[in-house]
Amino acid sequence: QVQLVESGGGLVQPGGSLRLSCTASGRTFSRDGLGWFRQAPGKERDFVAAISWAGISTAYADSVKGRFTISRDNAKNTVYLQMDSLKPEDTAVYYCAVWMYTYYRTDTADYWGQGTQVTVSS
């Protein structure tokens, strides 16, 4: 059974940084795309970032380009999201995502984590 466990969320002031982690189990993800979505209260779940299976290619939503960095460690079955220069509008529940045998899609994923709350507020 595939499980994705996120960590690293919390409360941070505007301009601050957080690093999210997502560790996967139950499958070898070395040929899968990994990424992140987020969902703010009252809004739909939106694509944030993705990274290809070898870590060579990355993709970002326009709203986070230049501030967020995605990376992965296939030996640890883990994907990371480094979030810098955080803004109040980044407040959301962040979900780890897996796309089986493909790079990414912005509308859905094959597996989801349970989510971790990120709150940006002074």
Side-chain angles (χ1 to χ4, degrees):
Q1 183 177 357
V2 173
Q3 284 191 321
L4 304 175
V5 179
E6 299 109 332
S7 61
L11 173 64
V12 63
Q13 293 186 342
S17 297
L18 281 175
R19 189 193 195 205
L20 305 183
S21 299
C22 172
T23 299
S25 61
R27 171 183 170 82
T28 299
F29 296 92
S30 58
R31 295 293 178 175
D32 300 332
L34 299 178
W36 297 89
F37 285 70
R38 67 185 181 186
Q39 187 168 19
K43 296 188 177 181
E44 294 185 348
R45 188 175 299 188
D46 292 329
F47 170 79
V48 174
I51 187 166
S52 61
W53 68 271
I56 295 174
S57 299
T58 57
Y60 297 94
D62 288 342
S63 59
V64 306
K65 277 181 183 176
R67 300 188 298 120
F68 290 10
T69 303
I70 189 170
S71 61
R72 66 189 289 170
D73 184 337
N74 284 343
K76 297 181 179 179
N77 256 9
T78 299
V79 60
Y80 305 96
L81 187 67
Q82 177 66 40
M83 304 186 295
D84 299 318
S85 302
L86 283 161
K87 305 175 181 179
E89 50 264 45
D90 294 318
T91 295
V93 177
Y94 283 71
Y95 296 90
C96 177
V98 176
W99 298 276
M100 293 175 59
Y101 303 116
T102 191
Y103 181 9
Y104 75 101
R105 290 179 58 177
T106 60
D107 60 333
T108 189
D110 295 300
Y111 297 106
W112 299 96
Q114 84 286 353
T116 185
Q117 177 70 47
V118 171
T119 302
V120 185
S121 175
S122 55

